[in-house]
Amino acid sequence: PVITLLGDANVTVEAATSYADAGATAQDAIGGNLTTAILLTGTVELNATGVRLLRYNVADAGGTAAVEKVRTVNVVDTTSPVITLFGDANATHVINTAWVDPGTSATDTLDGNLSSQVAVSGALDVNATGNYVLTYSVSDAAGNDSNVTRTVNVTGAHAVQAAANLEMLWVEP
């Protein structure tokens, strides 16, 4: 018998997704179509990266085995984590008051919750007006990075109150 792989012999698939094997066919000069008799061994575990081997074997009615065919499935993690900012990405803050960062959450398709690993860089001076950028960063176990920023506008109390008053005066038509 002769086994023919359907699709590529080497496949790359993203971790934490789904994989549908293309399968194989088998033909024998005397026994005809032996596709339903193919024995497939191996599994494609998608919850971890690495190389997975799927082995296809079949024998005809007389016990003659086909040459084994192998599909190599390389499970990779190329998806970056997702960082979600709590609160606004563009915040206004009153000068000379303590800044309380609203925080973030971070998730990764393979590594799950990475919220505790988010690092914050940038400086915020609550005693000086200006725009300050805070950068939130995280990496998953595969080294995929993600960054988001929050701009904090430290302003005088009068400007914040004026903006609040404008919001209260706005009436939806």
Side-chain angles (χ1 to χ4, degrees):
V2 175
I3 300 172
T4 304
L5 287 179
L6 300 175
D8 295 331
N10 295 299
V11 177
T12 299
V13 63
E14 185 69 20
T17 63
S18 62
Y19 172 76
D21 189 62
T25 60
Q27 287 290 336
D28 183 64
I30 297 173
N33 186 347
L34 299 177
T35 300
T36 60
I38 293 175
L39 175 63
L40 172 62
T41 58
T43 59
V44 178
E45 169 61 46
L46 295 170
N47 291 324
T49 59
V51 175
R52 314 291 189 263
L53 300 178
L54 298 177
R55 300 177 181 282
Y56 301 83
N57 289 286
V58 71
D60 64 18
T64 303
V67 173
E68 178 181 75
K69 293 290 182 166
V70 178
R71 183 179 328 270
T72 302
V73 180
N74 187 24
V75 180
V76 298
D77 180 5
T78 62
T79 302
S80 295
V82 174
I83 300 174
T84 302
L85 289 175
F86 298 146
D88 294 328
N90 293 301
T92 302
H93 183 74
V94 178
I95 193 169
N96 299 322
T97 62
W99 164 255
V100 178
D101 194 314
T104 63
S105 67
T107 57
D108 183 68
T109 55
L110 190 58
D111 297 333
N113 187 344
L114 299 176
S115 297
S116 65
Q117 298 175 33
V118 175
V120 183
S121 62
L124 176 67
D125 184 353
V126 296
N127 298 313
T129 60
N131 288 321
Y132 300 91
V133 177
L134 301 175
T135 302
Y136 304 83
S137 306
V138 71
S139 296
D140 64 14
N144 300 307
D145 299 323
S146 185
N147 299 296
V148 296
T149 60
R150 182 186 324 266
T151 301
V152 181
N153 179 20
V154 176
T155 186
H158 297 292
V160 173
Q161 184 59 47
N165 289 342
L166 285 176
E167 286 180 20
M168 290 188 306
L169 291 175
W170 174 254
V171 176
E172 192 71 32

